[in-house]
Amino acid sequence: MWSALKRNYEVSEEIGRGRFGTIFRCFHPLSNQPYACKLIDKSLLLDSTDRHCLQNEPKFMSLLSPHPNILQIFHVFEDDHYLSIVMDLCQPHTLFDRMLHAPFSESQAASLIKNLLEAVAHCHRLGVAHRDIKPDNILFDSADNLKLADFGSAEWFGDGRSMSGVVGTPYYVAPEVLLGREYDEKVDVWSCGVILYIMLAGIPPFYGDSAAEIFEAVVRANLRFPSRIFRTVSPAAKDLLRKMISRDSSRRFSAEQALRHPWILSAGDTAELT
């Protein structure tokens, strides 16, 4: 597999490292176009869940490409020991890194969440739920375009099929997932709503000192807008948050509905809404 990769790409320096593998910068020799190459060591996959995630990522990324806000996959090379995925080269800092600083302005937050929702709506139209949307999985390319990544936990829900299984990350996972119920693709909209809340407030809507406490707060889903923090946030932004972070998934917005909300359509320009 390594020789097959090197026949097609010039592999350069290491630029990242994860639980299962290493990411290298690589170049296509004809175009000299830079890419990222994720090299996964299969011997590090400890159980069937890990192996399932390994197979999921290239499968779903290939189905969903190309889309301007989804990390694009270009080549997959595989043998008995390694899997290598050639994909978009992105900046080293994720949305999580950007959110460590001061809260975003409404126009900045609206622009980012619009791009994220467009990626999610594309996934949902093709019957794919991401199921682990969080700031760490939101990248940016060299032109600063948002790219949704990491489809290892993704699942099909087409043909009216529901999903099950506790998948996701504390702070961002929807309550119906934690309650062990069957659920639909709107779990992704909940996660996007939580990200939007943090972008505007600088804190998560549901929190605790441990994963268990965070999960308890998520299940209660007592959504609040502390006046000290939200005094400068527009009523339109808070209205969208209520509709995305709705404990009742039947009343929760779909990604398409969220994209049609006036706050998104006005690009967070609150003056335009008054």
Side-chain angles (χ1 to χ4, degrees), residues 173-176 190 205-206 214-224 245-248 252:
V173 64
E176 60 267 31
W190 173 282
F206 314 111
I214 295 166
F215 289 156
E216 288 174 10
V218 169
V219 169
R220 287 196 301 271
N222 185 14
L223 184 63
R224 295 179 177 177
I245 313 176
S246 169
R247 190 177 189 275
D248 182 352
R252 189 182 307 155

Side-chain angles (χ1 to χ4, degrees), residues 17-18 23 38 57 71 87 90-100 104 116 130 132-140 146-152 168-173 191-192 194-196 198-199:
R17 189 173 286 263
I23 301 175
K38 181 188 286 189
E57 186 162 31
L71 193 69
M87 52 196 174
C90 288
Q91 300 174 31
H93 296 113
T94 67
L95 180 60
F96 178 82
D97 298 306
R98 297 187 181 196
M99 289 167 65
L100 292 174
F104 293 66
L116 177 57
H130 186 284
D132 193 20
I133 294 176
K134 57 184 176 181
D136 319 56
N137 289 337
I138 299 170
L139 311 178
F140 298 90
L146 180 148
K147 300 283 184 177
L148 179 60
D150 197 344
F151 285 82
T169 301
Y171 294 122
Y172 307 101
V173 64
S191 302
C192 292
V194 172
I195 290 171
L196 176 57
I198 298 172
M199 284 197 288

Side-chain angles (χ1 to χ4, degrees), residues 12-269:
S12 184
E13 74 273 15
E14 177 183 324
I15 57 175
R17 189 173 286 263
R19 188 157 63 104
F20 299 128
T22 308
I23 301 175
F24 297 90
R25 185 190 303 271
C26 65
F27 298 86
H28 192 278
L30 296 180
S31 66
N32 207 35
Q33 180 75 22
Y35 298 96
C37 173
K38 181 188 286 189
L39 181 67
I40 299 166
D41 184 348
K42 292 183 178 181
S43 69
L44 299 176
L45 305 175
L46 302 177
D47 53 34
S48 60
T49 301
D50 289 345
R51 289 188 288 273
H52 181 68
C53 290
L54 175 72
Q55 296 302 321
N56 264 0
E57 186 162 31
K59 176 176 68 177
F60 285 118
M61 288 174 69
S62 296
L63 170 69
L64 297 167
S65 293
H67 185 277
N69 299 120
I70 293 176
L71 193 69
Q72 185 165 353
I73 189 169
F74 296 96
H75 267 115
V76 176
F77 303 94
E78 184 173 11
D79 62 19
D80 291 338
H81 305 289
Y82 289 95
L83 173 73
S84 185
I85 306 172
V86 178
M87 52 196 174
D88 286 319
L89 178 66
C90 288
Q91 300 174 31
H93 296 113
T94 67
L95 180 60
F96 178 82
D97 298 306
R98 297 187 181 196
M99 289 167 65
L100 292 174
H101 305 294
F104 293 66
S105 70
E106 290 198 34
S107 60
Q108 289 173 321
S111 175
L112 289 170
I113 208 68
K114 179 175 183 286
N115 289 339
L116 177 57
L117 285 167
E118 285 174 340
V120 171
H122 177 71
C123 294
H124 292 177
R125 282 192 293 269
L126 292 175
V128 176
H130 186 284
R131 299 203 303 172
D132 193 20
I133 294 176
K134 57 184 176 181
D136 319 56
N137 289 337
I138 299 170
L139 311 178
F140 298 90
D141 67 12
S142 59
D144 217 32
N145 298 306
L146 180 148
K147 300 283 184 177
L148 179 60
D150 197 344
F151 285 82
S153 297
E155 188 59 271
W156 302 104
F157 66 87
D159 303 321
R161 286 184 291 178
S162 60
M163 295 171 284
S164 61
V166 179
V167 179
T169 301
Y171 294 122
Y172 307 101
V173 64
E176 60 267 31
V177 176
L178 297 176
L179 289 167
R181 299 172 181 166
E182 292 188 335
Y183 50 84
D184 62 21
E185 72 277 10
K186 289 184 182 178
V187 296
D188 287 344
V189 178
W190 173 282
S191 302
C192 292
V194 172
I195 290 171
L196 176 57
Y197 187 106
I198 298 172
M199 284 197 288
L200 294 173
I203 60 169
F206 314 111
Y207 50 87
D209 293 329
S210 66
E213 289 185 6
I214 295 166
F215 289 156
E216 288 174 10
V218 169
V219 169
R220 287 196 301 271
N222 185 14
L223 184 63
R224 295 179 177 177
F225 301 106
S227 56
R228 178 179 59 85
I229 297 172
F230 277 87
R231 65 181 183 276
T232 60
V233 176
S234 68
K238 288 184 277 192
D239 179 69
L240 177 58
L241 285 169
R242 289 188 191 96
K243 289 169 177 170
M244 294 176 72
I245 313 176
S246 169
R247 190 177 189 275
D248 182 352
S249 62
S250 68
R251 301 179 63 184
R252 189 182 307 155
F253 264 12
S254 67
E256 297 278 8
Q257 286 175 308
L259 283 167
R260 295 194 296 269
H261 189 275
W263 187 77
I264 295 289
L265 295 175
S266 69
D269 184 354

